[in-house]
Amino acid sequence: MAGKPKLHYSNGRGKMESIRWLLATAGVEFEEQFIEKKEDLEKLRNDGYLLFQQVPMVEIDGMKMVQARAIGSYIAAKYNLYGKDLKERAWIDMYVEGTTDLMGMIMLLPFQPADTKEKNLALIIERATTRYFPVYEKALKDHGQDYLVGNKLSWADIHLLEAILMAEECKPDILSAFPLLQAFKGRTSNIPTIKKFLQPGSQRKPPIDEKGVAMVKKIYDI
Amino acid sequence: MSGKPKLHYFNGRGRMESIRWLLAAAGVEFEECFLETKDDLTKLQKDGSLMFQQVPMVEIDGIKMVQSRAIGNYIAAKYNLYGKDLKERALIDMYVEAIIDLNELLMMNTFQPEDKKQQHFANLVDKATNRYFPVYEKVLKDHGQDFLVGNQLSRADVQLLETLLMAEECKPDILAKFPLLQSFKARISNIPTIKKFLQPGSQRKPPLQEKDVARVMKIFH
């Protein structure tokens, strides 16, 4: 049934944030139903809404889609953010998997024991600056184009911007050795739909705070 | 350059096994280059062959592909194992992502320290029999067809079979309550390319033995 996509998740970034970015960039308005306590999640489960008893879940085009990557792939393909052929798609997938791994590390940080935080943060910064960012810097350098794949905005670019901003929250000067990524960040942030998403009042979520960590732990039994 | 795909990984299942299954199901011959020591991995890293310094890596159609999901997506699409349209693809993706989650639990089983083994195993069996298998059993029951999506063989079927067999290795009667999954297992196992892959002498890898865990950890750590 036509209508706005409806996102089911807790009121925070987590595994839903990349989906919010995709929809926002594609200029697609969406609704959100927030899980605030365990009972909300239980209700979704009991109602049979969650194929594998988990969120994220997005109601879209008559489906109750689950699994963040499946949802992301569907949205990217539907809104022409997935390249023009199989090979472009392959590059986009590889790039997105890389930024997924990096953002995955950053997202875990608030949930790790206090005495490991410093070590984990150091590892994130090391990985970001020696494993991940050099790849994207080189990709931009090699073809000299504005976008990572196929000279056109794709999921890979949106995901990279999200990862860059998240990494800068960890270390503000983390892009200092990556001039092309800095330019990429400036350029991509200026795309009208993305610019709008980056402004206060949008559905973009802030980084999680202590209260949020406690709530997430309670809802999901971590 | 054209030629057989070439897989770079250690000589075991890990994150490459699903890719071996897909290629085999599609009837695509492939070569393998096994990492046996940390030096083998370091060499690939230094060569610039590994985009994010990690394996799996598959040389295919002129690209050195990394990231097992990206590789799986490419092979599935190329060999028509990805449904006929966006919505079938969405279903296949959802089913495959959950299978990957269950596979993780299965893979991690061998790597658990002694004091965590029992708890991990119990969690694995609980998730398999209460969260995942019922979904696939219901899908098959609801449409009554031979395959999970679109009445034709897809990646979802291949990966589900792989996982069912791995789960049975952990607990032989794990499919006791799932008659449709049992017949699915038999049916898909009989597809000629898959039947061939299930025979001794194929490139399918055996489960990792406890004695090999230390050796594998050494390559990657």
Side-chain angles (χ1 to χ4, degrees):
Chain A
M1 173 154 56
K4 299 181 191 175
K6 191 170 180 185
L7 278 50
H8 296 261
Y9 202 64
S10 34
N11 188 358
R13 289 179 177 177
K15 292 191 198 287
M16 188 64 100
E17 191 71 352
S18 297
I19 293 164
R20 297 181 184 108
W21 270 87
L22 265 175
L23 288 169
T25 303
V28 177
E29 284 183 27
F30 57 92
E31 292 173 2
E32 300 198 73
Q33 186 167 303
F34 296 122
I35 295 167
E36 274 154 10
K37 42 195 197 313
K38 202 166 172 40
E39 289 74 24
D40 298 335
L41 179 61
E42 287 309 319
K43 183 170 194 309
L44 282 173
R45 286 173 169 162
N46 292 335
D47 285 347
Y49 278 27
L50 307 177
L51 191 61
F52 301 105
Q53 315 310 321
Q54 295 166 311
V55 286
M57 187 271 276
V58 174
E59 299 182 69
I60 184 168
D61 297 338
M63 298 182 282
K64 289 181 169 61
M65 283 202 73
V66 295
Q67 296 288 350
R69 275 180 183 84
I71 300 166
S73 293
Y74 181 78
I75 295 168
K78 182 177 177 182
Y79 294 104
N80 283 313
L81 293 165
Y82 225 154
K84 69 179 197 298
D85 59 27
L86 210 49
K87 284 213 168 167
E88 285 195 354
R89 195 174 177 147
W91 285 102
I92 291 167
D93 277 342
M94 287 193 279
Y95 291 147
V96 168
E97 286 298 306
T99 38
T100 298
D101 285 349
L102 176 57
M103 285 198 275
M105 289 176 79
I106 299 175
M107 281 197 286
L108 275 180
L109 204 55
F111 293 90
Q112 284 157 339
D115 59 346
T116 62
K117 273 205 165 65
E118 210 181 288
K119 187 178 74 154
N120 289 328
L121 181 61
L123 182 62
I124 287 168
I125 293 166
E126 191 207 313
R127 286 278 154 83
T129 54
T130 61
R131 178 175 286 193
Y132 295 108
F133 290 161
V135 172
Y136 303 95
E137 181 84 3
K138 182 176 190 298
L140 293 170
K141 184 172 184 190
D142 286 351
H143 59 45
Q145 292 164 0
D146 281 356
Y147 304 104
L148 284 170
V149 179
N151 209 11
K152 177 173 187 252
L153 182 71
S154 77
W155 187 13
D157 303 295
I158 301 163
H159 219 243
L160 176 59
L161 177 60
E162 183 189 357
I164 284 172
L165 296 178
M166 225 192 260
E168 284 184 327
E169 283 165 357
C170 287
K171 188 175 189 288
D173 65 347
I174 203 168
L175 285 190
S176 56
F178 305 101
L180 296 181
L181 289 183
Q182 290 175 41
F184 172 88
K185 173 189 149 195
R187 207 166 50 236
T188 312
S189 300
N190 256 321
I191 291 170
T193 46
I194 295 180
K195 188 171 183 171
K196 190 168 167 207
F197 189 61
L198 288 172
Q199 274 156 3
S202 83
Q203 283 160 299
R204 185 182 181 215
K205 302 295 175 273
I208 200 166
D209 57 16
E210 267 190 44
K211 206 170 119 201
V213 170
M215 183 181 72
V216 166
K217 283 184 175 173
K218 231 177 170 182
I219 296 172
Y220 301 109
D221 265 330
I222 304 174
Chain B
M1 173 146 64
S2 269
K4 299 182 193 173
K6 192 169 181 185
L7 279 50
H8 296 260
Y9 203 60
F10 77 94
N11 188 356
R13 290 179 178 175
R15 296 188 195 285
M16 187 63 100
E17 192 71 352
S18 299
I19 293 164
R20 297 183 184 106
W21 270 86
L22 272 178
L23 287 169
V28 177
E29 286 184 26
F30 56 92
E31 293 173 2
E32 301 197 74
C33 191
F34 296 122
L35 305 180
E36 272 152 17
T37 62
K38 200 167 174 41
D39 288 344
D40 293 337
L41 178 61
T42 309
K43 182 172 189 302
L44 275 179
Q45 288 167 333
K46 292 215 166 103
D47 278 346
S49 293
L50 307 177
M51 186 186 277
F52 300 110
Q53 312 311 321
Q54 296 164 312
V55 286
M57 188 269 278
V58 175
E59 299 182 65
I60 184 167
D61 297 338
I63 314 176
K64 288 185 166 70
M65 284 203 72
V66 296
Q67 295 287 352
S68 53
R69 278 178 176 87
I71 300 166
N73 287 354
Y74 183 78
I75 293 167
K78 183 176 178 181
Y79 296 103
N80 283 314
L81 293 167
Y82 225 154
K84 70 178 194 298
D85 58 28
L86 210 50
K87 283 212 167 168
E88 284 194 356
R89 195 174 177 143
L91 277 175
I92 291 167
D93 277 342
M94 286 194 275
Y95 296 156
V96 168
E97 282 299 311
I99 288 165
I100 291 174
D101 286 348
L102 179 53
N103 270 1
E104 280 287 327
L105 285 175
L106 289 163
M107 271 201 291
M108 287 298 126
N109 205 34
T110 326
F111 291 90
Q112 294 304 307
E114 261 330 297
D115 59 340
K116 292 242 165 78
K117 267 199 160 63
Q118 205 174 28
Q119 188 197 29
H120 182 93
F121 181 77
N123 181 41
L124 189 163
V125 173
D126 175 52
K127 291 268 155 54
T129 55
N130 291 319
R131 176 173 286 190
Y132 295 111
F133 291 166
V135 172
Y136 303 103
E137 181 83 4
K138 182 178 192 296
V139 167
L140 293 170
K141 182 171 187 193
D142 285 353
H143 61 43
Q145 291 165 1
D146 283 354
F147 306 104
L148 286 169
V149 179
N151 210 12
Q152 90 169 332
L153 182 72
S154 78
R155 174 190 193 184
D157 304 296
V158 177
Q159 315 264 220
L160 178 58
L161 175 61
E162 179 193 356
T163 299
L164 294 178
L165 295 178
M166 263 206 284
E168 283 184 326
E169 283 166 358
C170 279
K171 190 177 189 291
D173 65 349
I174 203 169
L175 289 186
K177 295 200 191 120
F178 305 101
L180 295 181
L181 289 182
Q182 290 176 39
S183 50
F184 172 89
K185 174 189 140 193
R187 200 165 58 240
I188 308 297
S189 299
N190 255 320
I191 291 170
T193 47
I194 294 178
K195 188 171 184 173
K196 194 168 166 206
F197 187 61
L198 289 172
Q199 275 156 4
S202 82
Q203 283 159 298
R204 186 183 181 214
K205 302 294 173 273
L208 198 63
Q209 311 285 356
E210 295 253 359
K211 64 179 171 65
D212 296 315
V213 169
R215 181 176 54 86
V216 169
M217 300 276 273
K218 254 209 205 132
I219 302 174
F220 295 106
H221 289 280

